[in-house]
Amino acid sequence: MSGVRWLAILPVLGILIGTAFVNQVEPLVFGLPLVLAWIVGWVVVGAVLMAIIYALDPINAEPDSGHEGGRR
Amino acid sequence: MNGALVIIALTAVMALGLGLAARRGLRMTLEQWTVAGRGFGGLLVFLLTAGEIYTTFTFLGGSGYAYGRGAPAYYILAYGSLAYILSYWLLPPIWRYAKQERLVSQSHFFAKKYDSPGLGILVAIVGVVALVPYLDLQFKGLGIIVSLASYGSISSTAAIWIGAATVTIYVIISGVHGVAWNAAVKDILILAVVVFLGTYLPLHYYGGFGEMFHAIDAAKPGFLTFKPSGQGVLWFQSTVALTALGFFMWPHAFAAVFTAKHERTFRRNAMILPLYQLILLFVFFCGFAAILTLPGLTGDNMDLSLFKLAIQSFDPWFVGVVGAAGVLTALVPGSLILLSAATLLANDVLRALAPRMTEDRVTLIARGLVPVIALVAVYFTLQGGQTIVALLLMGYSFVTQLFPALICSLMARNPMTKQGATAGIVVGVAAVAYITLTHSTFVSLFPFLPSQANDVNVGFAALALNVLAAAAVSLATRPAAVPAASRPG
């Protein structure tokens, strides 16, 4: 089990819990209301974290199961 | 007929032509008609399954919700992202089991896991019930586009009938082949149109994004943030959780998982697909831009905002292009949904009840069911009164009730019995149906709850009842022979 997987909990907490604490318009971030910018930020950070997990998770280093190895 | 309508009608005819061309030389067996003989490559599968992101729901519903409700629309951006993160761990075990047992549908998956054909039929029925509001909203979108693009000469009722007839003919003639060909055209067109509109409209009417949000905040204080009660933060949290869990519970999305070649595909998609959600920002911008330039659309008329603003801002030919993109976003997912619902009823319900039915017979019945299901959806569409987003949330409330039984079935030792799974799903679905049909609130049903509980999304509340019922019945029906030590914790 790779500890890096726990990174995935961050966007879940950020969006589900964190949103309650940034529920305001000002200051605008990149022209967006703060609460919208917060959600957008976590969508982007979430994608980056999943890329890190994908790269470091040992399960993706194993060859794919069965006879049909290799990528598509 | 004006220029806009000509372009839209031509698009619909071309889509039908593509569908007809796609079926040439193929014998239309059930498998060909529904899953194209499982012969689609990765790109087509991707386009079909990413369909959720670019349906009428996003195009008209997302912009309309931003226009009419403001901050609550943000949930649409959040749930897909969490669903894809979940998919990294959720989808590979589903795929492995389906491959090992050679399963073809969500209903078969549940029936096999719980060794209960009855549960399989129940799951198929829940799927069909959830798909009807989803189909409903596609027809509604088609109706809006056709009626507005006719500049009032076609009534919205007539437009809904035209839209439903187009989808029905399209599905009966070409099945999934036509859908896949058009999916590629649709995604490129909608991407271009949404990014253009979402950039142009705020710049043209307000001079910039920040300027637009400042103006909205000044005119309607509190509109861009979550309210203290009603659709507040609690509503946002429960709705995001509900829809993220339900994301892959749709029968068509679940079955699409089976078509992948490698389980690693899901893990790779989990990092790429969240970024596709960002297109929704531009959809929101269109809705926000309409708030001060096109005030006064209330109730389910808020879904008109994007298209009305396009009519106000552009020449008829460009309105036609926007309308064509909109028609495809309703036509392509609409046909996929109609196809799934018809196949579910024919193959997973009727065939499960009468196993000796021949393949040809099932195909025939599935095709015959297409217009029947379309008529049911038209009936609900004409009842009206619901916004596009409200319709999809209703579908999600139903379909998410399958999640607890699914998660338990993936555990090494399933703590849920087939009676428990059945009871949980029945209770959850009944709670959603009761609350939706009677327009009662959660607190009126359970007076001991604090009034804050009313802000919780009704589907999420039903999910809690579902889990309680499943746990209670599972405990009662657990075989006595199981030693206490093996019980999960």
Side-chain angles (χ1 to χ4, degrees), chain B residues 159-175:
Chain B
I160 287 168
W161 281 106
I162 294 173
T166 313
V167 175
T168 309
I169 294 168
Y170 185 67
V171 171
I172 293 179
I173 290 180
S174 70

Side-chain angles (χ1 to χ4, degrees), chain A residues 5 8 11 15-16 23-26 28 31-32 35-36 40 43 50-51 54 57 59-60 62 64 68 70, chain B residues 74 77 85 88-89 99 210 213-214 217 224-226 233 236-237 261-262 264 267-268 270-271 274-275 285:
Chain A
R5 292 178 170 202
I15 287 176
L16 285 183
N23 190 21
Q24 56 196 60
V25 178
E26 302 288 347
L28 296 188
L32 303 177
V35 57
L36 178 57
V40 171
V43 171
M50 291 318 286
Y54 182 82
D57 193 341
I59 199 162
N60 296 310
E62 295 163 13
D64 251 319
E68 18 158 76
Chain B
Y74 303 160
L77 190 58
I85 291 173
Y88 187 96
W89 291 277
K99 186 181 170 190
F213 285 114
H214 276 305
D217 194 37
L224 297 171
T225 54
F226 294 103
V233 170
F236 170 81
Q237 292 164 325
K261 279 204 181 102
H262 308 289
R264 194 180 290 162
R267 301 202 189 94
R268 197 180 305 130
M271 63 178 170
L275 294 176
F285 292 156

Side-chain angles (χ1 to χ4, degrees), chain A:
Chain A
M1 275 301 152
S2 163
V4 76
R5 292 178 170 202
W6 290 101
L7 284 176
I9 204 81
L10 292 177
V12 179
L13 294 177
I15 287 176
L16 285 183
I17 311 289
T19 303
F21 300 96
V22 290
N23 190 21
Q24 56 196 60
V25 178
E26 302 288 347
L28 296 188
V29 179
F30 297 114
L32 303 177
L34 180 67
V35 57
L36 178 57
W38 173 264
I39 296 169
V40 171
W42 276 113
V43 171
V44 176
V45 171
V48 172
L49 291 177
M50 291 318 286
I52 295 173
I53 292 173
Y54 182 82
L56 297 182
D57 193 341
I59 199 162
N60 296 310
E62 295 163 13
D64 251 319
S65 57
H67 51 281
E68 18 158 76
R71 296 170 167 241
R72 64 184 151 105

